[in-house]
Amino acid sequence: MRQATDGGYIMAGYTNNYGGGSSDIYLVKLNPNTTTIDWTKTIGGTLVDKANSVEVTSDGGYIVAGYTASYGAGGNDFYIEIGSASCRERV
């Protein structure tokens, strides 16, 4: 969990309950007062995808590192996601 530029918090992990795979990367952005969720996002394919860490970038966006069995060469491949502060943009 890291503090976002707006004073809220961003958390990364994984979920078995949302998304389309057996597990998917799960991002949660908490409101600055930490009593409400601003947004959530799942990332992943049909296999296992998990986040290990999240950082806030200098432009207020987020970078997530983890691994994926859904994409890449097979097995567990390294995965990086870079998004805007609203997490609606994928690079």
Side-chain angles (χ1 to χ4, degrees):
M1 180 165 59
R2 298 286 185 241
Q3 189 163 28
T5 55
D6 68 356
Y9 290 89
I10 182 77
M11 299 183 292
Y14 68 94
T15 179
N16 296 323
N17 297 324
Y18 303 103
S22 61
S23 67
D24 290 308
I25 293 171
Y26 190 46
L27 301 176
V28 178
K29 170 63 174 64
L30 297 176
N31 190 281
N33 66 22
T34 66
T35 60
T36 59
I37 295 174
D38 280 345
W39 51 260
T40 65
K41 181 177 182 178
T42 56
I43 303 165
T46 58
L47 300 175
V48 175
D49 307 292
K50 295 184 178 180
N52 293 68
S53 65
V54 62
E55 293 290 336
V56 179
T57 59
S58 61
D59 64 354
Y62 307 103
I63 184 165
V64 180
Y67 64 93
T68 179
S70 298
Y71 307 106
N76 290 326
D77 296 312
F78 190 73
Y79 185 87
I80 296 177
E81 174 90 8
I82 301 170
S84 66
S86 65
C87 208
R88 303 206 194 296
E89 178 180 324
R90 193 167 175 182
V91 176

